[in-house]
Amino acid sequence: MNSFRDILRKNGSAVDAAIAALLCTSIMNPQCMGIGGGVIFTVMDSSGKVKIITSRETVPSNVTSDLLKSCPNTTEWTVEWPHGSKWIGVPGEIRGYEAAHRLYGKLPWADLFQPTIKLAREGFPIPYYQGQHIPRIGNTSLRKLYLDKNGNLLKTGDTVKFEKLADTLEMIANEGPDVFYNGTIAKNLISDIQDAGGNLTRKDLELYEAKVTDAWNISLGEYKLYFPPPPSGGAILSLILNIMKGYKMNSEPKTTDEKILFYHRYIEALKFANELKTNISDPNFSSDEMAKKLTQDSFADSKRSLISSDKTRDPGINLYLDSIGTTHVSVLAEDGSAVSVTSSINDEFGSGVLSPSTGIILNNQLSDFCGRANSFSPGERPPSNMAPSVLKSPSKTLVIGGSGSETIPPAVASALMNHLWFGKSLKEAIITPVVLVDSKSEVKPEPKLEKVIYSMYLNDKLISSTSLVPSESLSSLPCRM
């Protein structure tokens, strides 16, 4: 990503590079993220101090009171996710960039936008991944972004321009973030959303604030793992790792029996993580006491004691919807500072609502409350699986995060176990196939893992209460968080 490298070459900070990379990604993968969404930063400065910047979307003040009654009552992956203007949360992306840049930026704010503005205005060939999603936009307002002069949908390799968005980004670059939240962009954006039937108001944008907090952390051998508190999924990630570290593994399982036992224990840990997801919520609206407990070794010890080596545990089935992807950027600068940041507009192309006057694609973040809460309040941030993390030892720094919504905690945990405990290189650890346990306790391994997982559940020493279903590669799934 040239914008990323150029910023670092100009002596920009890790945060400068991350913001530039996110802006570029917002047009290269607009189905996944953009300034109509929200973001969570985990930032370590050169002294090793870590801060969290949470600018996840919030519930608008005039939200439909019975909106959650429209949530699908199924957990099938094929379910039609809640789309449309009623599911739009107040966008936080730009306030997040502003807070991160104010605290850690070195280059001028406008400089971070220039590469993306140029690309959006002049156009570029549609990348493969973006092209795969274009046919699925249906008859939404998004179609006008992707129609050629003959009215046909563009495809991979065709040139696409985002000229309205370029104008919007240029205005934010030159006038600053306030133009998005209480200036010209705010006026036009809210008008477009309301025309589409949405509930956001000018006041919602004016009152929006990013939240800066301390990181939570756990110990992993010589490392401290720093991660964001609720409403992020960091506590869920920490629970998985704390359960697994109690098995004191210091080498990769080699024999079939060793692999069977490892994956059995890991899948059981993922079940506990799923069952406890309902404890993740916005701490400004409910207690985070239980979420803190999820990060404690003693709590992980109690859950590990319930894992048998020769049979599976019958878990409760949750009602939250399985979700499918997001965007992550990791940056490590020469001065030792580090940024782990995850961003999304939630579902594939978010709400499916395009603001025609600004070129902004709006999120459908309110659907993240489905199955995870019975109600919500204006200003509340929905729960998330995002877990952008930084690990620090006396001699090393490791930056990690993931995309793929409910795959984020197990995928990040898998990469860390493979690197820290099994001695794999970072590249090997990251490409190691991932196994997911969904909300119905169905095990969904990536194809290369299916053989060993199948053998595990066919092994007559194990009595399975967990369903196994074949899956496509989890890394190929679209964009939710």
Side-chain angles (χ1 to χ4, degrees):
M1 191 174 289
N2 289 330
S3 61
F4 177 94
R5 291 194 297 270
D6 290 346
I7 293 296
L8 291 176
R9 288 193 186 112
K10 293 177 182 176
N11 295 316
S13 67
V15 158
D16 290 335
I19 293 171
L22 288 167
L23 287 166
C24 184
T25 303
S26 73
I27 64 169
M28 289 296 174
N29 285 313
Q31 72 280 357
C32 295
M33 67 151 295
I35 62 172
V39 66
I40 299 178
F41 287 84
T42 298
V43 184
M44 176 180 286
D45 66 21
S46 56
S47 71
K49 187 176 182 180
V50 185
K51 287 289 185 183
I52 306 297
I53 300 166
T54 300
S55 57
R56 189 146 161 75
E57 299 91 329
T58 56
V59 177
S61 56
N62 290 341
V63 67
T64 305
S65 60
D66 61 351
L67 183 66
L68 295 185
K69 292 180 180 178
S70 302
C71 290
N73 60 1
T74 176
T75 56
E76 292 293 336
W77 278 57
T78 55
V79 68
E80 179 66 25
W81 273 88
H83 283 77
S85 58
K86 299 295 185 184
W87 298 94
I88 299 172
V90 184
E93 192 90 3
I94 291 297
R95 282 293 187 218
Y97 296 174
E98 175 191 33
H101 185 260
R102 181 179 68 248
L103 292 171
Y104 304 103
K106 291 183 180 179
L107 296 180
W109 167 260
D111 287 7
L112 310 183
F113 288 74
Q114 299 313 313
T116 301
I117 292 170
K118 185 175 188 293
L119 206 57
R121 194 178 304 286
E122 295 179 0
F124 56 91
I126 295 173
Y128 173 81
Y129 192 54
Q130 182 181 157
Q132 297 307 293
H133 295 269
I134 293 173
R136 297 201 284 269
I137 60 177
N139 291 318
T140 66
S141 57
L142 292 167
R143 288 186 68 86
K144 64 185 67 176
L145 284 177
Y146 291 107
L147 292 178
D148 65 17
K149 60 183 180 181
N150 297 317
N152 299 314
L153 277 178
L154 298 174
K155 59 185 183 302
T156 299
D158 291 341
T159 297
V160 65
K161 296 181 180 181
F162 299 116
E163 294 171 285
K164 285 288 187 182
L165 183 60
D167 293 339
T168 295
L169 293 174
E170 190 165 53
M171 196 176 297
I172 296 170
N174 294 335
E175 300 182 34
D178 283 350
V179 74
F180 184 100
Y181 288 92
N182 52 34
T184 304
I185 295 172
K187 177 183 176 182
N188 293 336
L189 183 63
I190 293 301
S191 176
D192 288 345
I193 291 173
Q194 291 181 351
D195 286 346
N199 298 307
L200 273 67
T201 66
R202 291 282 299 275
K203 199 70 174 176
D204 289 324
L205 284 178
E206 288 173 12
L207 295 177
Y208 186 91
E209 294 180 350
K211 186 176 181 182
V212 181
T213 61
D214 291 330
W216 287 9
N217 69 82
I218 62 170
S219 295
L220 288 177
E222 66 173 342
Y223 286 91
K224 282 274 191 185
L225 170 70
Y226 295 93
F227 54 88
S232 87
I236 295 299
L237 170 64
S238 71
L239 172 63
I240 296 168
L241 289 167
N242 278 340
I243 290 175
M244 296 305 293
K245 79 179 182 183
Y247 292 114
K248 304 186 186 305
M249 298 171 290
N250 54 21
S251 63
E252 184 178 7
K254 301 256 187 327
T255 69
T256 298
D257 284 347
E258 287 174 347
K259 290 178 180 179
I260 287 171
L261 183 58
F262 167 73
Y263 282 111
H264 166 62
R265 288 169 168 172
Y266 185 47
I267 287 168
E268 293 298 298
L270 297 183
K271 289 186 202 173
F272 280 122
N274 279 352
E275 292 168 31
L276 293 162
K277 279 185 177 180
T278 52
N279 294 292
I280 303 300
S281 58
D282 188 336
N284 286 340
F285 292 83
S286 59
S287 171
D288 61 3
E289 182 178 350
M290 186 59 193
K292 288 179 179 176
K293 187 177 287 188
L294 301 186
T295 70
Q296 297 171 359
D297 284 335
S298 58
F299 186 82
D301 293 344
S302 70
K303 295 303 179 186
R304 192 184 314 105
S305 69
L306 300 176
I307 298 176
S308 168
S309 294
D310 60 0
K311 62 182 177 181
T312 64
R313 183 181 57 85
D314 189 12
I317 293 179
N318 294 289
L319 295 177
Y320 73 86
L321 290 169
D322 293 325
S323 47
I324 43 178
T326 197
T327 294
H328 180 83
V329 172
S330 294
V331 183
L332 182 59
E334 285 186 337
D335 64 358
S337 60
V339 180
S340 184
V341 55
T342 312
S343 171
S344 183
I345 53 174
N346 207 34
D347 201 6
E348 182 181 27
F349 288 111
S351 61
V353 174
L354 172 72
S355 163
S357 64
T358 66
I360 296 172
I361 299 171
L362 280 308
N363 69 85
N364 65 327
Q365 210 65 251
L366 300 189
S367 67
D368 274 358
F369 285 105
C370 288
R372 299 272 292 264
N374 295 319
S375 62
F376 47 54
S377 302
E380 186 173 356
R381 304 178 201 268
S384 174
N385 291 292
M386 297 193 297
S389 304
V390 176
L391 293 90
K392 182 70 176 173
S393 78
S395 60
K396 297 178 182 178
T397 302
L398 177 62
V399 190
I400 195 166
S403 61
S405 188
E406 83 281 6
T407 66
I408 293 173
V412 173
S414 172
L416 289 175
M417 289 189 295
N418 276 281
H419 179 62
L420 300 180
W421 302 340
F422 301 162
K424 292 185 178 183
S425 70
L426 277 174
K427 181 178 180 180
E428 290 172 328
I430 290 168
I431 66 175
T432 297
V434 175
V435 60
L436 166 71
V437 178
D438 71 11
S439 62
K440 295 189 295 181
S441 291
E442 289 183 342
V443 179
K444 294 183 174 179
E446 286 191 276
K448 292 180 181 178
L449 268 180
E450 288 180 8
K451 185 174 181 180
V452 68
I453 302 297
Y454 268 114
S455 68
M456 169 182 163
Y457 283 98
L458 292 174
N459 188 308
D460 58 13
K461 292 186 295 185
L462 292 174
I463 304 169
S464 173
S465 62
T466 305
S467 302
L468 179 75
V469 297
S471 73
E472 299 297 328
S473 171
L474 298 178
S475 62
S476 70
L477 294 170
C479 311
R480 275 188 67 87
M481 61 180 178

